[in-house]
Amino acid sequence: MTEHITTVAGVAVDTRHWIGGERVASVRTFTDVSPIDGSTLGEIARGGATEAEAAVAAARTAFPGWAATPRTERARLLRAIADGVDKRLEDLAIVETHDNGALLRSHRRGVMPRVAHNFRFFADWLLRLEHEDFTTRGHTNHVSWDAAGPSVLITPWNAPLMLATWKIAPALAAGNTVVLKPAEWTPLTASLIADIAAEAGLPAGVLNVVQGYGAEAGSALVSHPDVRRISFTGSVPTARRIAGAAAANLVPASFELGGKSPLLVFADADLDLAVDLAVEQYDNAGQVCLAASRVLVEAPVAEEFTRRLVEQTARLRQGDPREEATDIGPNIHPRQLEKIDGFVRRALAAGARALVGGTPHEKLGGLYYRPTLLTGVAQDSEIVQEEVFGPVLTLQTFTDEEEAVHLANDTRFGLAATVATGDRERAARVTARLVAGTVWVNCFFVRDLQAPFGGSRQSGVGREGGTWSFDFYCDIKNTVSAPKGWKGHG
Protein backbone atom coordinates (compact mmCIF):
# COMPACT_ATOMS: atom_id res chain seq x y z
CA MET A 1 0.00 0.00 0.00
CA THR A 2 2.71 2.49 0.99
CA GLU A 3 4.49 2.18 -2.35
CA HIS A 4 1.51 3.92 -3.95
CA ILE A 5 1.40 6.78 -1.45
CA THR A 6 3.42 9.96 -1.83
CA THR A 7 3.66 12.57 0.89
CA VAL A 8 3.59 16.26 -0.04
CA ALA A 9 4.43 18.60 2.85
CA GLY A 10 2.92 16.07 5.25
CA VAL A 11 -0.17 15.33 3.15
CA ALA A 12 -0.55 11.74 1.92
CA VAL A 13 -1.72 11.37 -1.68
CA ASP A 14 -2.48 8.07 -3.43
CA THR A 15 -0.74 7.99 -6.82
CA ARG A 16 -3.02 5.39 -8.38
CA HIS A 17 -6.11 5.86 -10.53
CA TRP A 18 -9.59 5.83 -9.00
CA ILE A 19 -11.80 3.52 -11.04
CA GLY A 20 -15.09 1.92 -10.02
CA GLY A 21 -14.62 2.87 -6.37
CA GLU A 22 -11.16 1.29 -6.12
CA ARG A 23 -7.55 2.29 -6.45
CA VAL A 24 -5.99 0.88 -9.60
CA ALA A 25 -2.27 0.79 -10.35
CA SER A 26 -0.63 0.84 -13.78
CA VAL A 27 2.44 -0.93 -15.04
CA ARG A 28 3.97 2.38 -16.08
CA THR A 29 4.31 5.63 -14.14
CA PHE A 30 5.30 9.22 -14.84
CA THR A 31 7.15 11.63 -12.57
CA ASP A 32 5.34 14.60 -11.08
CA VAL A 33 7.71 17.49 -10.37
CA SER A 34 7.10 20.66 -8.35
CA PRO A 35 7.66 23.88 -10.29
CA ILE A 36 8.74 25.60 -7.08
CA ASP A 37 12.11 23.90 -6.79
CA GLY A 38 12.16 20.97 -9.22
CA SER A 39 11.68 18.38 -6.47
CA THR A 40 9.92 15.10 -7.28
CA LEU A 41 6.44 14.94 -5.80
CA GLY A 42 5.68 11.36 -6.78
CA GLU A 43 5.61 8.61 -9.35
CA ILE A 44 2.08 8.69 -10.76
CA ALA A 45 0.18 5.81 -12.35
CA ARG A 46 0.30 6.30 -16.13
CA GLY A 47 -2.96 5.24 -17.69
CA GLY A 48 -3.68 4.31 -21.26
CA ALA A 49 -6.28 2.44 -23.28
CA THR A 50 -6.71 -0.29 -20.64
CA GLU A 51 -7.42 2.12 -17.80
CA ALA A 52 -9.63 4.28 -20.04
CA GLU A 53 -11.72 1.24 -20.97
CA ALA A 54 -12.07 0.23 -17.32
CA ALA A 55 -13.08 3.73 -16.24
CA VAL A 56 -15.70 4.16 -18.97
CA ALA A 57 -17.06 0.70 -18.19
CA ALA A 58 -17.35 1.65 -14.50
CA ALA A 59 -19.09 4.90 -15.41
CA ARG A 60 -21.45 3.09 -17.79
CA THR A 61 -22.34 0.51 -15.12
CA ALA A 62 -22.98 3.15 -12.48
CA PHE A 63 -24.96 5.45 -14.76
CA PRO A 64 -28.49 3.96 -14.57
CA GLY A 65 -28.51 3.99 -10.78
CA TRP A 66 -27.04 7.47 -10.50
CA ALA A 67 -29.36 8.93 -13.16
CA ALA A 68 -32.34 7.44 -11.29
CA THR A 69 -31.20 8.86 -7.95
CA PRO A 70 -33.67 11.55 -6.83
CA ARG A 71 -32.54 15.13 -7.26
CA THR A 72 -32.63 15.73 -3.52
CA GLU A 73 -30.23 12.84 -2.89
CA ARG A 74 -27.84 13.91 -5.63
CA ALA A 75 -27.86 17.41 -4.17
CA ARG A 76 -27.23 16.05 -0.67
CA LEU A 77 -24.18 14.12 -1.86
CA LEU A 78 -22.80 17.15 -3.70
CA ARG A 79 -23.10 19.17 -0.51
CA ALA A 80 -21.40 16.38 1.43
CA ILE A 81 -18.47 16.57 -1.02
CA ALA A 82 -18.34 20.34 -0.44
CA ASP A 83 -18.22 19.72 3.32
CA GLY A 84 -15.34 17.30 2.74
CA VAL A 85 -13.49 19.95 0.74
CA ASP A 86 -13.96 22.39 3.61
CA LYS A 87 -12.53 19.88 6.08
CA ARG A 88 -9.46 19.26 3.92
CA LEU A 89 -9.07 22.79 2.59
CA GLU A 90 -5.57 23.25 4.03
CA ASP A 91 -4.39 19.89 2.66
CA LEU A 92 -5.76 20.71 -0.78
CA ALA A 93 -4.20 24.17 -0.75
CA ILE A 94 -0.77 22.85 0.24
CA VAL A 95 -0.75 20.05 -2.30
CA GLU A 96 -1.99 22.27 -5.13
CA THR A 97 0.65 24.91 -4.41
CA HIS A 98 3.43 22.33 -4.53
CA ASP A 99 1.98 20.79 -7.69
CA ASN A 100 1.32 23.88 -9.83
CA GLY A 101 3.26 26.68 -8.15
CA ALA A 102 0.37 29.09 -7.63
CA LEU A 103 0.25 31.17 -4.46
CA LEU A 104 -0.60 29.30 -1.26
CA ARG A 105 -2.43 32.35 0.08
CA SER A 106 -4.67 32.34 -3.02
CA HIS A 107 -5.40 28.65 -2.68
CA ARG A 108 -6.32 29.08 0.97
CA ARG A 109 -8.47 32.18 0.64
CA GLY A 110 -10.01 31.94 -2.80
CA VAL A 111 -9.41 28.85 -4.90
CA MET A 112 -10.27 26.03 -2.50
CA PRO A 113 -13.32 27.80 -1.06
CA ARG A 114 -14.44 28.16 -4.69
CA VAL A 115 -14.00 24.40 -5.12
CA ALA A 116 -16.49 23.79 -2.32
CA HIS A 117 -18.78 26.47 -3.76
CA ASN A 118 -18.82 24.69 -7.13
CA PHE A 119 -20.48 21.68 -5.53
CA ARG A 120 -22.90 23.66 -3.38
CA PHE A 121 -23.94 25.95 -6.21
CA PHE A 122 -24.86 23.15 -8.61
CA ALA A 123 -26.59 21.22 -5.84
CA ASP A 124 -28.79 24.26 -5.23
CA TRP A 125 -29.32 24.96 -8.93
CA LEU A 126 -30.36 21.35 -9.54
CA LEU A 127 -33.22 21.65 -7.06
CA ARG A 128 -34.66 24.72 -8.76
CA LEU A 129 -33.98 23.67 -12.35
CA GLU A 130 -37.26 23.89 -14.22
CA HIS A 131 -39.01 25.37 -17.21
CA GLU A 132 -42.53 26.64 -16.88
CA ASP A 133 -45.06 24.44 -18.69
CA PHE A 134 -46.75 26.03 -21.68
CA THR A 135 -49.64 25.15 -23.93
CA THR A 136 -49.98 24.63 -27.67
CA ARG A 137 -53.59 24.40 -28.95
CA GLY A 138 -54.66 23.06 -25.56
CA HIS A 139 -51.76 20.57 -25.31
CA THR A 140 -49.32 20.86 -22.40
CA ASN A 141 -45.59 21.08 -23.05
CA HIS A 142 -43.28 19.97 -20.23
CA VAL A 143 -39.50 20.48 -20.55
CA SER A 144 -37.17 18.19 -18.61
CA TRP A 145 -33.42 17.62 -18.36
CA ASP A 146 -32.47 13.94 -18.66
CA ALA A 147 -29.03 12.67 -17.72
CA ALA A 148 -27.00 11.99 -20.87
CA GLY A 149 -24.55 9.32 -19.73
CA PRO A 150 -20.85 8.89 -19.01
CA SER A 151 -18.96 12.18 -19.37
CA VAL A 152 -15.24 12.62 -20.00
CA LEU A 153 -13.73 15.74 -18.46
CA ILE A 154 -10.21 16.81 -19.39
CA THR A 155 -8.78 19.62 -17.31
CA PRO A 156 -5.71 21.92 -17.37
CA TRP A 157 -2.84 22.57 -15.00
CA ASN A 158 -3.21 26.28 -14.25
CA ALA A 159 -6.10 25.91 -11.76
CA PRO A 160 -6.38 22.11 -11.52
CA LEU A 161 -8.96 21.42 -8.86
CA MET A 162 -11.11 24.53 -9.31
CA LEU A 163 -11.50 23.93 -13.05
CA ALA A 164 -12.00 20.18 -12.57
CA THR A 165 -14.81 20.67 -10.07
CA TRP A 166 -16.34 23.39 -12.24
CA LYS A 167 -17.03 20.48 -14.61
CA ILE A 168 -17.49 17.60 -12.16
CA ALA A 169 -20.16 19.31 -10.06
CA PRO A 170 -22.68 20.09 -12.85
CA ALA A 171 -22.05 16.76 -14.57
CA LEU A 172 -22.83 14.86 -11.37
CA ALA A 173 -25.77 17.14 -10.55
CA ALA A 174 -27.20 16.40 -14.00
CA GLY A 175 -27.15 12.67 -13.22
CA ASN A 176 -24.16 11.84 -15.41
CA THR A 177 -21.26 9.68 -14.33
CA VAL A 178 -17.77 11.08 -14.80
CA VAL A 179 -14.31 10.09 -15.92
CA LEU A 180 -11.82 12.85 -15.11
CA LYS A 181 -8.42 13.05 -16.83
CA PRO A 182 -6.37 15.69 -15.01
CA ALA A 183 -3.35 17.37 -16.59
CA GLU A 184 -0.24 15.25 -16.21
CA TRP A 185 1.71 18.19 -14.77
CA THR A 186 -0.76 18.58 -11.86
CA PRO A 187 -2.50 15.30 -11.00
CA LEU A 188 -2.43 15.28 -7.21
CA THR A 189 -5.56 17.13 -6.06
CA ALA A 190 -7.66 15.10 -8.52
CA SER A 191 -6.65 12.06 -6.48
CA LEU A 192 -7.63 13.82 -3.27
CA ILE A 193 -11.05 14.84 -4.58
CA ALA A 194 -11.72 11.18 -5.43
CA ASP A 195 -11.03 10.32 -1.77
CA ILE A 196 -13.26 13.15 -0.58
CA ALA A 197 -16.12 12.08 -2.87
CA ALA A 198 -15.86 8.46 -1.71
CA GLU A 199 -15.87 9.53 1.94
CA ALA A 200 -18.97 11.64 1.24
CA GLY A 201 -20.77 8.49 0.07
CA LEU A 202 -20.73 8.94 -3.71
CA PRO A 203 -21.49 5.50 -5.19
CA ALA A 204 -18.69 3.54 -6.83
CA GLY A 205 -18.19 4.32 -10.51
CA VAL A 206 -19.97 7.66 -10.43
CA LEU A 207 -16.65 9.54 -10.33
CA ASN A 208 -13.53 8.01 -11.83
CA VAL A 209 -10.05 9.50 -12.21
CA VAL A 210 -7.59 8.33 -14.86
CA GLN A 211 -4.12 9.86 -14.79
CA GLY A 212 -1.74 10.01 -17.71
CA TYR A 213 -0.83 11.75 -20.94
CA GLY A 214 -3.30 13.20 -23.39
CA ALA A 215 -2.01 11.14 -26.31
CA GLU A 216 -2.53 7.94 -24.33
CA ALA A 217 -5.26 8.15 -21.68
CA GLY A 218 -6.96 11.26 -23.05
CA SER A 219 -7.15 10.01 -26.62
CA ALA A 220 -8.59 6.66 -25.54
CA LEU A 221 -11.25 8.37 -23.42
CA VAL A 222 -12.52 10.92 -25.94
CA SER A 223 -12.75 8.32 -28.71
CA HIS A 224 -14.66 5.77 -26.62
CA PRO A 225 -18.07 4.97 -28.17
CA ASP A 226 -19.82 4.77 -24.79
CA VAL A 227 -18.99 8.35 -23.84
CA ARG A 228 -21.94 10.76 -24.11
CA ARG A 229 -20.36 14.12 -23.25
CA ILE A 230 -16.85 15.60 -23.49
CA SER A 231 -15.73 18.79 -21.77
CA PHE A 232 -12.21 20.08 -22.34
CA THR A 233 -10.23 23.09 -21.18
CA GLY A 234 -6.89 23.60 -22.87
CA SER A 235 -5.23 24.44 -26.16
CA VAL A 236 -6.73 24.94 -29.61
CA PRO A 237 -4.66 22.17 -31.30
CA THR A 238 -5.74 19.61 -28.69
CA ALA A 239 -9.36 20.74 -29.02
CA ARG A 240 -9.22 20.10 -32.76
CA ARG A 241 -8.09 16.51 -32.15
CA ILE A 242 -10.79 15.97 -29.52
CA ALA A 243 -13.43 17.48 -31.82
CA GLY A 244 -12.49 14.96 -34.50
CA ALA A 245 -12.85 12.06 -32.07
CA ALA A 246 -16.15 13.43 -30.75
CA ALA A 247 -17.48 13.92 -34.28
CA ALA A 248 -16.83 10.28 -35.13
CA ASN A 249 -19.27 9.26 -32.38
CA LEU A 250 -21.53 12.35 -32.64
CA VAL A 251 -20.76 13.25 -29.03
CA PRO A 252 -21.51 16.82 -27.88
CA ALA A 253 -18.32 18.57 -26.78
CA SER A 254 -17.68 21.78 -24.86
CA PHE A 255 -14.37 23.58 -25.30
CA GLU A 256 -12.87 26.41 -23.24
CA LEU A 257 -9.67 27.29 -25.06
CA GLY A 258 -7.05 29.98 -25.37
CA GLY A 259 -7.35 33.71 -25.08
CA LYS A 260 -5.55 36.87 -26.10
CA SER A 261 -7.82 39.23 -24.28
CA PRO A 262 -7.58 43.04 -24.41
CA LEU A 263 -7.68 45.63 -21.65
CA LEU A 264 -8.99 48.90 -23.14
CA VAL A 265 -8.04 51.98 -21.14
CA PHE A 266 -9.81 55.17 -22.23
CA ALA A 267 -8.61 58.66 -21.38
CA ASP A 268 -11.62 59.22 -19.10
CA ALA A 269 -10.83 56.14 -16.98
CA ASP A 270 -9.73 56.22 -13.35
CA LEU A 271 -6.02 55.68 -14.05
CA ASP A 272 -5.27 54.24 -10.62
CA LEU A 273 -8.01 51.64 -11.18
CA ALA A 274 -6.82 50.98 -14.73
CA VAL A 275 -3.25 50.38 -13.60
CA ASP A 276 -4.48 48.03 -10.87
CA LEU A 277 -6.45 46.11 -13.49
CA ALA A 278 -3.37 45.81 -15.68
CA VAL A 279 -1.19 44.56 -12.81
CA GLU A 280 -3.83 41.92 -11.99
CA GLN A 281 -3.05 40.29 -15.33
CA TYR A 282 0.23 38.98 -13.87
CA ASP A 283 -1.74 36.81 -11.45
CA ASN A 284 -0.68 33.14 -11.34
CA ALA A 285 2.47 34.10 -13.27
CA GLY A 286 0.26 35.05 -16.23
CA GLN A 287 -1.05 31.50 -16.54
CA VAL A 288 -4.71 32.52 -16.73
CA CYS A 289 -6.75 31.94 -19.88
CA LEU A 290 -8.81 35.08 -19.20
CA ALA A 291 -5.81 37.36 -18.71
CA ALA A 292 -5.98 40.66 -20.57
CA SER A 293 -2.44 40.37 -21.88
CA ARG A 294 -2.95 43.08 -24.54
CA VAL A 295 -3.13 46.51 -22.90
CA LEU A 296 -4.62 49.13 -25.24
CA VAL A 297 -4.38 52.72 -23.98
CA GLU A 298 -5.85 55.91 -25.43
CA ALA A 299 -2.98 58.13 -26.58
CA PRO A 300 -3.54 61.21 -24.35
CA VAL A 301 -3.03 59.20 -21.14
CA ALA A 302 -0.61 56.56 -22.48
CA GLU A 303 2.55 58.16 -21.09
CA GLU A 304 1.18 58.62 -17.58
CA PHE A 305 -0.50 55.22 -17.55
CA THR A 306 2.70 53.53 -18.70
CA ARG A 307 4.80 55.28 -16.06
CA ARG A 308 2.46 54.13 -13.28
CA LEU A 309 2.22 50.59 -14.65
CA VAL A 310 5.99 50.22 -14.87
CA GLU A 311 6.40 51.46 -11.29
CA GLN A 312 3.73 49.16 -9.90
CA THR A 313 4.92 46.13 -11.85
CA ALA A 314 8.46 46.66 -10.59
CA ARG A 315 7.15 46.48 -7.01
CA LEU A 316 5.66 42.99 -7.44
CA ARG A 317 7.41 40.45 -5.23
CA GLN A 318 8.43 37.27 -7.00
CA GLY A 319 9.52 34.15 -5.21
CA ASP A 320 8.42 31.05 -3.30
CA PRO A 321 4.60 30.79 -3.62
CA ARG A 322 4.39 29.27 -0.15
CA GLU A 323 5.44 32.57 1.41
CA GLU A 324 2.71 35.04 2.33
CA ALA A 325 4.53 38.06 0.89
CA THR A 326 4.97 36.58 -2.59
CA ASP A 327 2.94 38.07 -5.45
CA ILE A 328 4.19 35.92 -8.35
CA GLY A 329 5.43 32.35 -8.22
CA PRO A 330 7.05 30.14 -10.84
CA ASN A 331 5.76 29.01 -14.19
CA ILE A 332 4.61 25.44 -14.42
CA HIS A 333 7.24 23.52 -16.41
CA PRO A 334 10.56 23.96 -18.26
CA ARG A 335 8.73 23.62 -21.57
CA GLN A 336 6.40 26.45 -20.64
CA LEU A 337 9.26 28.67 -19.51
CA GLU A 338 11.08 28.04 -22.79
CA LYS A 339 7.91 28.89 -24.69
CA ILE A 340 7.46 32.18 -22.79
CA ASP A 341 11.08 33.18 -23.21
CA GLY A 342 10.97 32.29 -26.90
CA PHE A 343 8.00 34.59 -27.47
CA VAL A 344 9.74 37.47 -25.71
CA ARG A 345 13.12 36.97 -27.40
CA ARG A 346 11.52 36.91 -30.84
CA ALA A 347 9.49 40.03 -30.03
CA LEU A 348 12.60 41.89 -28.88
CA ALA A 349 14.46 40.79 -32.00
CA ALA A 350 11.59 42.17 -34.09
CA GLY A 351 11.88 45.61 -32.49
CA ALA A 352 9.82 45.42 -29.28
CA ARG A 353 11.16 47.10 -26.14
CA ALA A 354 10.92 45.66 -22.63
CA LEU A 355 9.94 48.40 -20.19
CA VAL A 356 10.01 45.84 -17.37
CA GLY A 357 11.39 42.31 -17.30
CA GLY A 358 12.05 40.51 -20.54
CA THR A 359 14.08 37.60 -19.17
CA PRO A 360 13.92 34.72 -16.71
CA HIS A 361 14.61 35.85 -13.17
CA GLU A 362 18.41 35.87 -12.86
CA LYS A 363 18.56 35.45 -9.07
CA LEU A 364 15.70 33.02 -8.55
CA GLY A 365 16.55 30.83 -11.54
CA GLY A 366 14.46 27.72 -12.04
CA LEU A 367 11.05 28.40 -13.58
CA TYR A 368 10.71 32.02 -12.47
CA TYR A 369 10.12 34.50 -15.31
CA ARG A 370 10.16 38.19 -14.52
CA PRO A 371 6.87 40.06 -15.04
CA THR A 372 7.33 41.68 -18.44
CA LEU A 373 5.84 44.67 -20.23
CA LEU A 374 6.59 45.07 -23.94
CA THR A 375 5.94 48.12 -26.07
CA GLY A 376 6.73 48.95 -29.69
CA VAL A 377 4.84 45.88 -30.93
CA ALA A 378 3.01 45.62 -34.26
CA GLN A 379 -0.62 44.51 -34.35
CA ASP A 380 0.19 41.62 -36.69
CA SER A 381 3.21 40.46 -34.68
CA GLU A 382 3.36 37.04 -33.04
CA ILE A 383 3.54 38.50 -29.52
CA VAL A 384 0.24 40.34 -30.08
CA GLN A 385 -1.58 37.57 -31.93
CA GLU A 386 -0.58 34.39 -30.08
CA GLU A 387 -1.27 33.30 -26.51
CA VAL A 388 1.92 33.37 -24.41
CA PHE A 389 0.39 32.08 -21.15
CA GLY A 390 3.02 33.69 -19.01
CA PRO A 391 3.69 36.98 -17.17
CA VAL A 392 3.99 39.01 -20.38
CA LEU A 393 1.87 42.03 -21.33
CA THR A 394 2.05 44.11 -24.49
CA LEU A 395 1.12 47.80 -24.55
CA GLN A 396 -0.29 49.60 -27.59
CA THR A 397 -2.02 52.96 -28.02
CA PHE A 398 -5.16 54.01 -29.89
CA THR A 399 -6.66 57.32 -30.91
CA ASP A 400 -10.43 56.76 -30.73
CA GLU A 401 -13.16 54.21 -30.01
CA GLU A 402 -13.15 52.88 -33.55
CA GLU A 403 -9.47 52.03 -33.45
CA ALA A 404 -9.77 50.64 -29.91
CA VAL A 405 -12.51 48.19 -30.92
CA HIS A 406 -10.65 47.24 -34.09
CA LEU A 407 -7.44 46.43 -32.19
CA ALA A 408 -9.35 44.60 -29.45
CA ASN A 409 -11.15 42.33 -31.92
CA ASP A 410 -8.21 41.82 -34.28
CA THR A 411 -7.11 38.32 -33.16
CA ARG A 412 -8.46 34.82 -33.73
CA PHE A 413 -9.56 34.63 -30.10
CA GLY A 414 -12.59 35.95 -28.23
CA LEU A 415 -12.58 34.73 -24.65
CA ALA A 416 -12.78 37.92 -22.58
CA ALA A 417 -12.20 41.67 -22.58
CA THR A 418 -11.81 44.35 -19.94
CA VAL A 419 -12.79 47.99 -20.38
CA ALA A 420 -11.71 50.91 -18.18
CA THR A 421 -13.76 54.06 -18.74
CA GLY A 422 -15.59 56.72 -16.75
CA ASP A 423 -18.33 57.09 -19.37
CA ARG A 424 -21.32 54.73 -19.04
CA GLU A 425 -22.51 55.42 -22.59
CA ARG A 426 -19.06 54.68 -23.99
CA ALA A 427 -18.92 51.47 -21.97
CA ALA A 428 -22.24 50.38 -23.48
CA ARG A 429 -21.16 51.23 -27.02
CA VAL A 430 -17.80 49.52 -26.77
CA THR A 431 -18.88 46.36 -24.96
CA ALA A 432 -21.66 45.83 -27.52
CA ARG A 433 -19.03 45.64 -30.26
CA LEU A 434 -16.41 43.50 -28.52
CA VAL A 435 -16.10 39.86 -29.55
CA ALA A 436 -15.82 38.06 -26.22
CA GLY A 437 -17.63 35.58 -24.03
CA THR A 438 -17.15 37.78 -20.95
CA VAL A 439 -16.61 41.55 -20.75
CA TRP A 440 -15.64 43.30 -17.51
CA VAL A 441 -16.11 47.06 -17.12
CA ASN A 442 -13.91 48.74 -14.50
CA CYS A 443 -13.32 45.38 -12.84
CA PHE A 444 -11.72 42.02 -13.56
CA PHE A 445 -12.32 38.35 -12.79
CA VAL A 446 -15.70 38.82 -11.13
CA ARG A 447 -17.24 35.42 -11.77
CA ASP A 448 -20.70 34.10 -10.86
CA LEU A 449 -21.56 30.47 -11.54
CA GLN A 450 -25.06 31.38 -12.71
CA ALA A 451 -23.59 33.41 -15.59
CA PRO A 452 -22.77 31.84 -18.97
CA PHE A 453 -19.07 31.19 -19.46
CA GLY A 454 -17.23 30.35 -22.67
CA GLY A 455 -15.43 31.84 -25.62
CA SER A 456 -16.05 33.03 -29.15
CA ARG A 457 -14.03 32.27 -32.27
CA GLN A 458 -11.10 29.99 -31.40
CA SER A 459 -11.51 30.60 -27.69
CA GLY A 460 -14.10 27.90 -27.45
CA VAL A 461 -17.39 26.24 -28.24
CA GLY A 462 -20.43 26.33 -25.97
CA ARG A 463 -21.35 27.95 -22.68
CA GLU A 464 -21.43 26.53 -19.17
CA GLY A 465 -22.70 27.89 -15.86
CA GLY A 466 -26.15 27.82 -14.28
CA THR A 467 -28.76 26.32 -16.58
CA TRP A 468 -26.28 26.41 -19.49
CA SER A 469 -24.31 23.64 -17.74
CA PHE A 470 -27.38 21.46 -17.45
CA ASP A 471 -28.26 22.18 -21.07
CA PHE A 472 -24.88 20.74 -22.03
CA TYR A 473 -24.67 17.77 -19.69
CA CYS A 474 -28.28 16.68 -20.27
CA ASP A 475 -30.51 15.52 -23.07
CA ILE A 476 -33.33 18.07 -22.99
CA LYS A 477 -36.75 16.55 -23.50
CA ASN A 478 -40.10 18.15 -24.30
CA THR A 479 -43.15 16.05 -23.39
CA VAL A 480 -46.42 17.10 -25.07
CA SER A 481 -49.67 15.86 -23.49
CA ALA A 482 -53.11 16.04 -25.07
CA PRO A 483 -56.04 17.36 -23.02
CA LYS A 484 -58.11 14.29 -23.93
CA GLY A 485 -57.72 10.56 -23.65
CA TRP A 486 -57.33 10.27 -19.87
CA LYS A 487 -59.24 7.59 -17.95
CA GLY A 488 -60.32 7.69 -14.35
CA HIS A 489 -59.85 10.58 -12.00
CA GLY A 490 -56.02 10.62 -11.67
Side-chain angles (χ1 to χ4, degrees):
M1 175 65 178
T2 55
E3 67 176 305
H4 299 298
I5 300 293
T6 190
T7 302
V8 180
V11 181
V13 184
D14 201 305
T15 60
R16 295 171 293 179
H17 313 285
W18 179 253
I19 299 174
E22 298 180 349
R23 288 291 175 181
V24 176
S26 291
V27 174
R28 298 181 299 169
T29 63
F30 62 93
T31 304
D32 184 27
V33 175
S34 175
I36 299 173
D37 54 13
S39 61
T40 296
L41 296 176
E43 295 297 322
I44 313 300
R46 178 176 168 179
T50 299
E51 291 82 0
E53 177 63 41
V56 174
R60 183 181 62 236
T61 299
F63 173 66
W66 181 243
T69 300
R71 285 188 180 192
T72 52
E73 177 62 9
R74 294 206 302 267
R76 185 192 69 79
L77 286 167
L78 289 178
R79 293 192 190 101
I81 295 172
D83 292 342
V85 170
D86 286 340
K87 290 176 183 176
R88 299 203 63 185
L89 189 145
E90 182 69 9
D91 289 349
L92 292 167
I94 289 170
V95 170
E96 192 95 300
T97 292
H98 281 80
D99 211 10
N100 87 327
L103 301 183
L104 179 57
R105 71 173 194 236
S106 295
H107 282 141
R108 283 172 170 158
R109 299 171 190 171
V111 177
M112 295 309 160
R114 170 63 183 270
V115 167
H117 177 63
N118 285 343
F119 287 103
R120 292 194 176 99
F121 173 87
F122 284 106
D124 293 343
W125 202 267
L126 169 65
L127 296 182
R128 62 173 182 260
L129 181 68
E130 63 178 355
H131 189 292
E132 185 177 350
D133 287 354
F134 57 97
T135 60
T136 305
R137 298 191 300 277
H139 296 63
T140 300
N141 293 262
H142 176 73
V143 176
S144 59
W145 286 262
D146 294 352
S151 301
V152 166
L153 314 178
I154 301 181
T155 53
W157 45 260
N158 59 321
L161 191 57
M162 194 273 284
L163 292 177
T165 55
W166 154 254
K167 300 176 187 291
I168 292 169
L172 294 183
N176 292 359
T177 50
V178 165
V179 181
L180 171 68
K181 209 294 284 183
E184 60 268 25
W185 290 348
T186 53
L188 298 182
T189 50
S191 180
L192 292 178
I193 201 67
D195 290 338
I196 291 169
E199 291 165 6
L202 195 70
V206 173
L207 172 64
N208 307 274
V209 179
V210 176
Q211 301 152 158
Y213 298 124
E216 298 170 356
S219 178
L221 287 170
V222 298
S223 61
H224 199 290
D226 290 336
V227 169
R228 292 293 174 264
R229 291 293 186 275
I230 299 170
S231 181
F232 168 73
T233 298
S235 71
V236 173
T238 301
R240 288 195 178 104
R241 292 192 290 272
I242 294 174
N249 294 317
L250 291 178
V251 177
S254 174
F255 298 126
E256 195 265 284
L257 309 176
K260 195 67 180 177
S261 302
L263 163 58
L264 289 74
V265 179
F266 288 92
D268 56 19
D270 178 331
L271 280 196
D272 287 335
L273 171 63
V275 170
D276 287 344
L277 292 174
V279 173
E280 276 193 72
Q281 311 312 313
Y282 291 118
D283 184 49
N284 200 18
Q287 299 168 143
V288 178
C289 58
L290 294 161
S293 57
R294 295 185 295 130
V295 182
L296 309 175
V297 188
E298 195 165 5
V301 296
E303 183 176 350
E304 177 63 16
F305 174 88
T306 302
R307 182 187 66 78
R308 296 190 198 184
L309 176 56
V310 168
E311 289 179 356
Q312 198 158 319
T313 301
R315 288 197 294 268
L316 292 173
R317 292 161 294 190
Q318 189 166 20
D320 192 324
R322 295 167 293 191
E323 296 178 1
E324 184 73 14
T326 298
D327 296 312
I328 299 179
N331 290 96
I332 184 69
H333 191 274
R335 289 214 307 265
Q336 188 64 19
L337 188 79
E338 291 168 10
K339 176 185 172 185
I340 295 165
D341 193 41
F343 270 115
V344 174
R345 284 187 288 103
R346 289 190 297 273
L348 294 174
R353 187 162 63 99
L355 302 182
V356 182
T359 63
H361 201 294
E362 300 87 349
K363 293 182 179 179
L364 294 174
L367 299 179
Y368 295 84
Y369 200 90
R370 295 169 65 202
T372 296
L373 178 63
L374 301 178
T375 190
V377 295
Q379 179 62 20
D380 61 354
S381 64
E382 177 192 56
I383 196 69
V384 169
Q385 293 294 323
E386 298 299 325
E387 185 178 41
V388 178
F389 220 62
V392 179
L393 306 184
T394 60
L395 191 148
Q396 299 166 270
T397 62
F398 62 85
T399 57
D400 55 26
E401 281 185 27
E402 190 66 28
E403 185 181 17
V405 171
H406 169 72
L407 292 174
N409 288 339
D410 188 26
T411 75
R412 62 193 174 101
F413 297 105
L415 187 56
T418 303
V419 178
T421 179
D423 186 332
R424 289 181 182 273
E425 293 183 357
R426 167 175 280 153
R429 287 193 305 269
V430 171
T431 57
R433 297 178 63 193
L434 292 174
V435 179
T438 300
V439 180
W440 287 286
V441 179
N442 294 329
C443 61
F444 177 67
F445 217 65
V446 178
R447 292 274 306 277
D448 192 310
L449 285 177
Q450 65 185 314
F453 180 77
S456 304
R457 295 176 176 168
Q458 291 192 26
S459 285
V461 176
R463 295 291 184 271
E464 295 185 50
T467 302
W468 288 275
S469 285
F470 288 93
D471 288 347
F472 172 69
Y473 286 109
C474 292
D475 289 326
I476 302 174
K477 179 191 293 177
N478 185 41
T479 301
V480 184
S481 300
K484 299 179 181 180
W486 304 105
K487 295 182 179 180
H489 302 285

